[in-house]
């Protein structure tokens, strides 16, 4: 079946919905989502969205931009960071005007709290910059945008999983999707396609990410010849629930929570004397591991699964009830403890992809180091790399990225589609997807996809995690390549067509394998330590050789690396201390 639209948005998280809202003002727009829209992972975002509103203390977009650049260890494109932080203020007020129920100050303004790496006056001291709706900020953004999309007659195709991009020469002509309820393949021809498919934390064993975060957009683009930018930079959030990875928001430390070792000592004062527990995430995660390796974890056995304590007992029940209610209930449900009375056992968890599909400031996809635009193809949100997060994202800057760049891309699409015709796409555009699905469902028996997934996640967690070295990463690459070979023989266990989640998971598995390979190869290639990429064999940042973005091209289960310049037009790189 062929559907024709002017604009197709793939994904209904914060970025997809904001882009759809804008694009639908001037074009016939449809949103395709493998999940029901308000189940998108944006709904899990807890702590807040940053903007220099200055509601509770002095703040400026310029300080916010500087923190973003420094937090990203100078791999951030600086003009893009200025756009992010300048447009943040209006973006937050737009959300408020559209109905988002932010927490309030006693005077009725949007309340703001502290978050890691956000400072006043270029690093002097922490600043209250995160706007929040209790610890359900993402949930509120998602609900607000979804109801606005419904009001504006955006068409939704819920539970349609996109499996391929239709590229003709250098132009995007649409996508191919499987309808979950029937197993049928649909072609969506469109003048413009925007990928907003979210992150891919599922390449790792312990992650804060949902099962659906399988990086479908970036993997589809990579298989169609588009390079992925800065894939070596994957953020580990310092405070996941020990053993599970479920996130305990940085908002707990923003409200005054403290990380403690086995003797109850606050150890962050050794690593970040100014920002303490609110240092950027890469620094806090490494500090936790360093403590554990020194025998100062709570068990003290130096094992990889030892942990430390996040102490929120001094915050009081009222703060926990009004500002951190979900966190309180997670602790009760998953740990059987009340955070007002007992410290929370935590360990870093794989959290956020700084890298992804390269785009310009309007969300247009770039396909090489010369900045060549792929006509009609856009990306926004966590699957994209603008790049405003560089080597390490600051907390609350992702929700901001979704609304600022989702909105900019949606507006650009609105103009673009007026200049071009709907492409003529025929049924054979689905041939590649169709052959793939036929192979997976041809009735032969093969290895179990679940085992391949488990081995991939363990290899990535153990060898391409917080601390990295050549030997481990080479081992990970070899293992992923052998898993890709095994994948060629994998087959569905469930032969039906209706809601065949087995088939859809095998498709997602291929996406994760491709992204694991690209991540490991990019990490092995970068011979320095910067932000979240920390190499034991190259412990220093090396601006002379590595102040550049990497572009990883997927080529028949091997990876070729190219480079792209970083925009450092505002601030000179400096040593990064806090
Ligand atoms: C637990 C947690 C807490 C967080 N807290 C914060 C916070 O407080 N502040 C902050 O700034 N950031 C936070 N983040 C990060 C932030 O929430 C995410 O980066 C962001 O929400 C991603 O939004 P998105 O629009 O890019 O994608 P998502 O919200 O993940 O949405 C992806 C969409 O793509 C669709 N999709 C995916 N693949 C396909 C396919 N093949 N076909 C069709 N549809 C597809 C899905 O159905 C979904 O609708 C948090 C992240 C986590 C995990």
């Amino acid at each position: 079946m062929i559907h024709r639209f002017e604009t197709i948005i793939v994904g209904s998280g914060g970025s997809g919905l904001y882009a759809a809202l804008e694009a639908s003002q001037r074009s016939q727009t449809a949103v395709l989502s493998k999940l029901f829209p308000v189940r998108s992972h944006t709904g899990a975002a807890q702590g807040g969205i940053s903007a220099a509103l200055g509601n509770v203390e002095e703040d400026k977009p310029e300080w916010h931009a500087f923190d973003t650049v420094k937090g990203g260890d100078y791999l951030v494109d600086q003009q893009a960071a200025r756009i992010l932080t300048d447009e943040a203020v209006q973006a937050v007020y737009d959300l408020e005007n559209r109905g988002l129920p932010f927490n309030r100050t006693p005077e009725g303004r949007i309340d703001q709290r502290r978050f890691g790496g956000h400072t006043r006056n270029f690093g002097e001291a922490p600043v209250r910059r995160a706007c929040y709706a209790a610890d359900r900020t993402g949930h509120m953004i998602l609900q607000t945008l979804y109801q606005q999309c419904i009001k504006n007659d955006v068409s939704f195709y819920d539970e349609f999983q996109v499996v391929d991009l239709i590229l003709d020469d250098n132009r995007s002509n649409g996508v191919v999707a499987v309808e979950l309820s029937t197993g049928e393949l649909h072609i969506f021809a469109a003048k413009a396609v925007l990928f907003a498919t979210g992150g891919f934390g599922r390449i790792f064993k312990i992650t804060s990410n949902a099962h659906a975060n399988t990086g479908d957009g970036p993997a589809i683009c990579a298989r169609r010849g588009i390079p992925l930018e800065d894939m070596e930079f994957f953020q580990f959030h310092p405070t996941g629930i020990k053993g599970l990875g479920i996130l305990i928001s940085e908002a707990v430390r923003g409200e005054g929570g403290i990380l403690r070792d086995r003797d109850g000592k606050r150890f962050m004062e050794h690593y970040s004397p100014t920002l303490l527990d609110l240092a950027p995430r890469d620094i806090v995660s490494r500090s936790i591991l360093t403590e554990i390796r020194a025998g100062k974890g709570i068990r003290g056995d130096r094992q990889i699964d030892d942990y430390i304590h996040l102490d929120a007992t001094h915050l009081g029940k009222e703060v926990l009830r009004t500002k951190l209610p979900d966190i309180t209930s997670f602790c009760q449900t998953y740990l059987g403890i009340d955070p007002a009375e007992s410290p929370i056992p935590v360990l870093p968890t794989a959290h956020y992809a700084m890298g992804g599909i390269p785009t310009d400031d309007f969300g247009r996809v770039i396909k090489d180091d010369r900045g060549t635009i792929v006509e009609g193809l856009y990306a926004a949100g966590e699957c994209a790399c603008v790049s405003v997060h560089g080597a390490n994202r600051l907390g609350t800057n992702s929700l901001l990225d979704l609304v600022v760049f989702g909105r900019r891309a949606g507006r650009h699409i609105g103009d673009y589609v007026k200049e071009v015709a709907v492409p003529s796409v025929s049924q054979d555009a689905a041939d590649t997807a169709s052959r793939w699905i036929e192979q997976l469902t041809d009735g032969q028996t093969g290895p179990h996809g679940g085992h391949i997934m488990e081995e991939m996640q363990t290899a990535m967690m153990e060898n391409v995690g917080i601390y990295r070295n050549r030997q481990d990463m080479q081992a990970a690459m070899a293992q992923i390549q052998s898993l890709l070979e095994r994948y060629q023989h994998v087959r569905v266990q469930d032969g039906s067509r209706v809601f065949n989640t087995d088939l859809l998971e095998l498709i997602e598995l291929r996406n994760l394998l491709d992204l694991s390979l690209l991540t490991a190869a990019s990490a092995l290639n970068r011979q320095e330590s910067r932000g979240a990429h920390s190499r034991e064999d190259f412990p220093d940042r090396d601006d002379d050789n590595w102040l550049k973005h990497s572009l990883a091209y997927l080529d028949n289960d091997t990876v070729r690396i190219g480079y792209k310049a970083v925009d450092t037009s505002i601030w000179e790189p400096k040593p990064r201390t806090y």
Side-chain angles (χ1 to χ4, degrees), residues 41-346:
H41 208 50
T42 295
Q46 301 164 352
I49 174 168
S50 51
L53 306 185
N55 278 358
V56 284
E57 56 187 320
E58 189 190 6
D59 199 6
K60 297 179 182 172
E62 192 189 0
W63 297 350
H64 186 182
F66 174 76
D67 289 341
T68 301
V69 168
K70 182 178 171 188
D73 219 348
Y74 294 90
L75 201 74
V76 170
D77 284 338
Q78 299 187 2
Q79 296 298 341
R82 278 312 307 240
I83 292 172
L84 179 82
T85 58
D86 286 349
E87 294 189 11
V89 176
Q90 193 52 48
V92 165
Y93 286 132
D94 280 354
L95 286 171
E96 184 191 33
N97 293 339
R98 290 182 192 279
L100 200 148
F102 284 110
N103 276 42
R104 302 273 162 191
T105 65
E107 302 77 39
R109 297 202 181 106
I110 294 173
D111 199 7
Q112 298 189 271
R113 63 180 163 206
R114 290 177 177 160
F115 245 78
H118 290 276
T119 70
R120 87 174 130 76
N121 205 15
F122 307 104
E124 232 169 60
V127 74
R128 295 176 196 276
R129 187 176 286 150
C131 312
Y132 64 100
D135 51 1
R136 299 172 185 137
T137 315
H139 174 84
M140 296 305 182
I141 289 179
L142 211 48
Q143 299 289 339
T144 304
L145 293 176
Y146 185 54
Q147 67 197 19
Q148 291 289 328
C149 283
I150 297 291
K151 183 178 146 208
N152 284 282
D153 293 329
V154 174
S155 303
F156 279 90
Y157 287 81
D158 300 337
E159 300 187 328
F160 277 69
Q161 182 158 329
V162 170
V163 291
D164 202 6
L165 167 68
I166 307 167
L167 265 189
D168 186 6
D169 199 7
N170 190 40
R171 180 160 172 202
S172 154
N173 287 342
V175 293
V176 181
V178 181
E179 183 177 5
L180 270 68
S181 62
T182 62
E184 200 183 329
L185 273 182
H186 294 247
I187 292 171
F188 289 83
K191 297 176 179 181
V193 169
L194 178 135
F195 278 109
T197 56
F200 47 91
R202 285 278 149 188
I203 61 175
F204 294 102
K205 188 172 171 190
I206 302 285
T207 175
S208 63
N209 284 202
H211 287 276
N213 282 21
T214 50
D216 303 358
I220 289 168
C221 287
R223 288 196 293 270
R224 285 286 170 197
I226 294 164
L228 299 184
E229 184 172 343
D230 292 341
M231 290 295 280
E232 59 272 41
F233 299 103
F234 202 98
Q235 177 170 85
F236 279 71
H237 191 294
T239 57
I241 291 180
K242 167 186 116 60
L244 297 175
I246 294 170
L247 196 75
I248 299 296
S249 171
E250 199 168 281
V252 176
R253 282 172 285 138
E255 295 294 346
I258 295 171
L259 294 165
R260 298 192 190 280
D261 67 13
R262 63 189 323 234
D263 301 318
K265 286 207 181 111
R266 178 181 213 172
F267 55 84
M268 279 310 298
E269 52 200 20
H270 305 305
Y271 302 95
S272 172
T274 307
L275 297 189
L276 300 165
D277 302 83
L278 285 176
R281 292 174 179 173
D282 55 333
I283 295 176
V284 182
S285 289
R286 279 195 293 275
S287 307
I288 291 173
L289 248 64
T290 307
E291 290 291 302
I292 289 172
R293 286 176 172 190
K296 293 185 190 158
I298 302 304
R299 284 201 316 262
D301 57 13
R302 296 182 165 85
Q303 295 300 306
I304 193 169
D305 63 343
D306 198 3
Y307 58 97
I308 52 103
H309 275 149
L310 173 58
D311 182 7
T313 53
H314 54 291
L315 301 185
K317 281 192 188 291
E318 189 53 18
V319 168
L320 288 164
R321 188 183 66 77
T322 54
K323 296 187 169 177
L324 301 163
D326 274 4
I327 294 302
T328 305
S329 101
F330 289 172
C331 290
Q332 284 157 350
T333 306
Y334 298 108
L335 294 163
I337 61 165
D338 178 353
E341 284 164 11
S342 318
I344 312 166
V346 292

Side-chain angles (χ1 to χ4, degrees), residues 10-16 32-37 39-50 115 137-138 142 160-163 196-199 208-210 212-217 220 247 249 281 351-352 380-383 393-400 402 511:
V10 185
S12 57
S15 56
L32 274 57
S33 176
K34 66 180 180 182
L35 302 173
F36 185 71
R39 295 187 69 87
S40 302
H41 208 50
T42 295
Q46 301 164 352
I49 174 168
S50 51
F115 245 78
T137 315
L142 211 48
F160 277 69
Q161 182 158 329
V162 170
V163 291
T197 56
S208 63
N209 284 202
N213 282 21
T214 50
D216 303 358
I220 289 168
L247 196 75
S249 171
R281 292 174 179 173
H351 184 60
Y352 183 86
E382 190 171 338
C383 74
R393 171 176 73 85
L394 292 188
T396 68
N397 267 359
S398 170
L399 291 179
L400 181 60
L402 310 183
N511 296 336

Side-chain angles (χ1 to χ4, degrees), residues 368-411:
D368 56 30
D369 55 357
R370 296 187 304 279
T372 310
I373 300 289
V374 183
E375 292 294 320
L377 187 60
Y378 294 75
E382 190 171 338
C383 74
C385 182
V386 179
S387 130
V388 288
H389 308 303
N392 170 64
R393 171 176 73 85
L394 292 188
T396 68
N397 267 359
S398 170
L399 291 179
L400 181 60
D401 176 2
L402 310 183
V403 295
V404 168
F405 289 101
R407 193 166 66 155
R408 287 174 70 86
R411 285 184 183 168

